[in-house]
């Protein structure tokens, strides 16, 4: 089992920045790919970014590419999502998810473990 806990969400003005953290405990986290997803009210959960277990490969949704950066520190069992140039449409609950494997999945169904989510609100 892997337990994931997100933090770092909050209220920010458009154009601002936030850094989300996903802290893991349980099994060896460094063996897991990690993804960030988000879900806005009335919408389906959508892929944001993912990173493989070494941090050498990353995927981004087109909507956040160039603004968001995913990274990980396996020594701290933590994955980060640096979010810059935030827009009101980035407002959502952000979730991190873990999957034991060598890939960098983009589909929520491919992840085994999920955190509880952290709210990000961007005001215009």
């Amino acid at each position: 089992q892997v337990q994931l806990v997100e933090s770092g969400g909050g209220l920010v003005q458009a154009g601002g920045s936030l850094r989300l953290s996903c802290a893991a405990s349980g099994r060896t986290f460094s063996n897991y790919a990690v993804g960030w997803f988000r879900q806005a009210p009335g919408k389906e959960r959508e892929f944001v970014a993912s990173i493989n277990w070494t941090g050498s490969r990353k995927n981004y949704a087109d909507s956040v590419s160039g603004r968001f950066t995913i990274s990980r520190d396996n020594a701290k069992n933590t994955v980060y999502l640096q979010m810059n140039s935030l827009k009101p449409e980035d407002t959502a609950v952000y979730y991190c998810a873990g999957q034991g494997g060598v890939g960098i999945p983009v589909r929520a169904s491919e992840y085994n473990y999920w955190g509880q989510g952290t709210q990000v609100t961007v005001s215009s």
Side-chain angles (χ1 to χ4, degrees):
Q1 286 285 343
V2 172
Q3 292 79 42
L4 303 174
V5 178
E6 303 94 336
S7 62
L11 173 64
V12 64
Q13 289 188 334
S17 298
L18 283 174
R19 188 177 78 158
L20 305 184
S21 298
C22 173
S25 61
R27 289 187 175 179
T28 306
F29 181 63
S30 59
N31 293 339
Y32 284 74
V34 174
W36 283 97
F37 292 78
R38 66 187 182 187
Q39 188 165 18
K43 295 187 177 181
E44 294 187 353
R45 190 169 298 190
E46 65 173 358
F47 169 76
V48 175
S50 59
I51 188 168
N52 74 330
W53 68 282
T54 65
S56 61
R57 292 189 294 151
K58 305 171 185 180
N59 265 334
Y60 295 96
D62 289 344
S63 59
V64 307
S65 182
R67 300 188 298 122
F68 291 11
T69 302
I70 189 171
S71 62
R72 68 189 298 160
D73 184 340
N74 286 340
K76 296 183 178 179
N77 284 346
T78 303
V79 171
Y80 304 98
L81 185 69
Q82 178 67 43
M83 306 186 296
N84 298 329
S85 301
L86 283 161
K87 305 175 181 180
E89 51 264 44
D90 294 319
T91 295
V93 177
Y94 283 70
Y95 300 89
C96 68
Q99 187 238 37
V102 300
I104 39 173
V106 299
R107 292 182 296 183
S109 60
E110 297 181 87
Y111 286 87
N112 308 111
Y113 304 102
W114 290 84
Q116 83 291 347
T118 185
Q119 176 71 47
V120 171
T121 303
V122 184
S123 63
S124 56

